[in-house]
Amino acid sequence: MLKGKKLGVIGVGKLGEALISGLLKQGALTTGDITGSVAHAASAERVNKKLGIEVSQDNRKVASGADLLILAVKPQNMHNVLVEIEDVLTPDQLVISVAASVTTTFVQKRLKKQIPIIRAMPNTPAVNNAGMTGLCGGLYAKDEHLKMAESIFKCVGEAVFVDESLMDGVTALSASGPAYLYVIIESLAEAGVKLGIPRDTSTFLAAQTMYGAARMVLESKAHPALLKDTVTTPAGCTIDGLMELEEGKLRVTLIKAVVKAAERARELVNNQDSVDS
Ligand SMILES: NC(=O)c1ccc[n+]([C@@H]2O[C@H](COP(=O)([O-])OP(=O)(O)OC[C@H]3O[C@@H](n4cnc5c(N)ncnc54)[C@H](OP(=O)(O)O)[C@@H]3O)[C@@H](O)[C@H]2O)c1
């Protein structure tokens, strides 16, 4: 679906870069198909060197030349960027916002015209074709636009459609999620070090174990509790480890972390007086 399309990315930061790298690695688009913009000249030079795409500080040029336009600036920069590019956009373009908290209504109001808008919440593992993206469509997003957006994010991992009311939850779970899981991998690796395993071996053991467990959940489609039971031999050592996790309140801590991050995502919107919820 992406063949022959021109992609513009306004805000080639951590997330924009991960998405572009993923799309290039997958061969979905070539460097000549993608242009990007950033705020600072030094960033433009750095990103151009790293990704090989044309990067400028000219948002209007990037917006007007794109069939598909991804807005990947911080939520607090969205209002200004939308106002800046509004008059160069037309309804035959597709605008995809990946900004946390920013609703499709917020974007729509500032673009004024009947431009199809998709709100997407990807994550940085997209760089390795292992991303997870939540998607929802705005008022003028038709089936073809939803399919186009899905095809972009499926090039760099998996994608699911959710109701827009759930997007803050998706942000807190799968967009912030890699950070929580890195902490868990780091902690497991520290445990290995404590037990005398060299740090690099320990990190490898921890990361591959998390990858393997995730694949078991995805491929077997079994409830994680059932999979946990298959590892927990009666009177074995795993049950002792699990008891420590229960005593340390790992489950409730993770639940509270995601709920707190979702609250913060909602606050990001409330903190901007010009943003509609
Ligand atoms: N990071 C994640 O894991 C993740 C996941 C899902 C969604 N998101 C969303 O993605 C967006 C970007 O997050 P990030 O982590 O990638 O942030 P980031 O690394 O700070 O990137 C922001 C980018 O926007 C550029 N920028 C700032 N103002 C601009 C302007 N007026 N015009 C054009 N470009 C401008 C910055 O350029 P300079 O570098 O020159 O300052 C930078 O390249 C946020 O809205 C966030 O909610 C992030």
Side-chain angles (χ1 to χ4, degrees), residues 146-164:
L146 299 175
K147 286 203 180 103
M148 177 61 77
E150 186 183 30
S151 76
I152 294 176
F153 292 99
K154 279 209 161 181
C155 277
V156 291
E158 292 293 339
V160 284
F161 285 97
V162 295
D163 190 87
E164 184 152 15

Side-chain angles (χ1 to χ4, degrees), residues 177-190 206 210 250 254:
Y180 315 143
L181 300 179
Y182 297 141
V183 170
I184 293 177
I185 292 174
E186 188 192 4
S187 308
L188 292 173
E190 292 274 278
M210 180 166 288
L250 179 76
L254 286 174

Side-chain angles (χ1 to χ4, degrees), residues 9-19 36-44 46-47 56-59 71-78 80-81 84 97-102 120-125 132 171 174-176 178 268:
V9 180
I10 296 186
V12 192
K14 288 183 281 297
L15 198 266
E17 204 178 301
L19 285 175
S37 58
V38 291
H40 302 96
S43 309
R46 185 190 62 77
V47 176
S56 69
Q57 292 163 275
D58 190 343
N59 293 338
L71 304 176
V73 295
K74 297 266 187 208
Q76 54 270 30
N77 297 131
M78 279 292 278
N80 287 346
V81 167
E84 186 186 348
S97 161
V98 298
S101 318
V102 175
M121 193 38 63
N123 64 14
T124 49
M132 183 70 229
T171 304
S174 55
S176 301
L268 281 180

Side-chain angles (χ1 to χ4, degrees), residues 100-102 119 165-173 176 180 252-272 277:
S101 318
V102 175
R119 180 173 169 190
S165 62
L166 300 176
M167 284 301 268
D168 289 330
V170 171
T171 304
L173 203 167
S176 301
Y180 315 143
V252 77
T253 304
L254 286 174
I255 294 167
K256 283 167 83 174
V258 176
V259 171
K260 193 80 182 172
E263 281 168 16
R264 175 68 186 137
R266 276 188 286 276
E267 258 178 43
L268 281 180
V269 169
N270 295 337
N271 281 339
Q272 299 171 74
S277 54

Side-chain angles (χ1 to χ4, degrees), residues 23 43 51 53 76 118 126 146 172 189 198 230 233 258:
L23 288 165
S43 309
L51 299 178
I53 61 161
Q76 54 270 30
I118 300 282
L146 299 175
T230 64
T233 313
V258 176

Side-chain angles (χ1 to χ4, degrees), residues 1-2 5 68 94 96 143-153:
M1 274 187 103
L2 294 180
K5 298 283 181 197
L68 311 165
L94 175 62
I96 302 173
D143 226 35
E144 68 200 77
H145 303 122
L146 299 175
K147 286 203 180 103
M148 177 61 77
E150 186 183 30
S151 76
I152 294 176
F153 292 99

Side-chain angles (χ1 to χ4, degrees), residues 188-222:
L188 292 173
E190 292 274 278
V193 170
K194 172 80 180 151
L195 295 168
I197 302 170
R199 185 170 292 278
D200 53 350
T201 307
S202 197
T203 304
F204 186 29
L205 288 167
Q208 175 64 20
T209 301
M210 180 166 288
Y211 174 67
R215 277 192 66 178
M216 289 294 284
V217 173
L218 290 170
E219 284 169 25
S220 72
K221 303 205 175 5

